[in-house]
């Protein structure tokens, strides 16, 4: 089975930094998009950042210049470096990946999600 596991969440003060990591494992044929989403209390889930297999990135306007997404295709991992954190960044962060699960190469790409990791930024 395919599994995404996040790590690195925690409690930090405003202005601090945190690095989130996500590892995909299992019977994987290929991975296309990888990204991070978050959901704060009382708000809808939103895209934070994503990266294609070729390295193209997209960021939410609210995190541009502060967050950096990166991936290691050899390790099937994606990281999110978060700097200059603000209380508004407080949320549960979810890793996602669009991938093909084996054993068949005709398998349709599907979206997989991690369990989420809590990030809390105090003022």
């Amino acid at each position: 089975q395919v599994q995404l596991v996040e790590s690195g969440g925690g409690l930090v003060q405003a202005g601090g930094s945190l690095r989130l990591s996500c590892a995909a494992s299992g019977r994987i044929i290929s991975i296309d998009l990888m990204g991070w989403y978050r959901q704060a209390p009382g708000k809808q889930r939103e895209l934070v950042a994503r990266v294609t297999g070729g390295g193209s990135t997209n960021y939410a306007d609210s995190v541009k210049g502060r967050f950096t997404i990166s991936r290691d295709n050899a390790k099937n991992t994606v990281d999110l470096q978060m700097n200059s954190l603000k209380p508004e960044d407080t949320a549960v962060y979810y890793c996602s990946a669009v991938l093909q699960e084996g054993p068949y190469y005709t398998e349709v790409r599907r979206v997989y999600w991690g369990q989420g990791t809590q990030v809390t930024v105090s003022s």
Side-chain angles (χ1 to χ4, degrees), residues 39 49 51 101:
Q39 187 165 22
V51 57
E101 182 179 4

Side-chain angles (χ1 to χ4, degrees), residues 46 62 83 107:
E46 66 173 343
S62 60
N83 299 325
E107 185 73 23

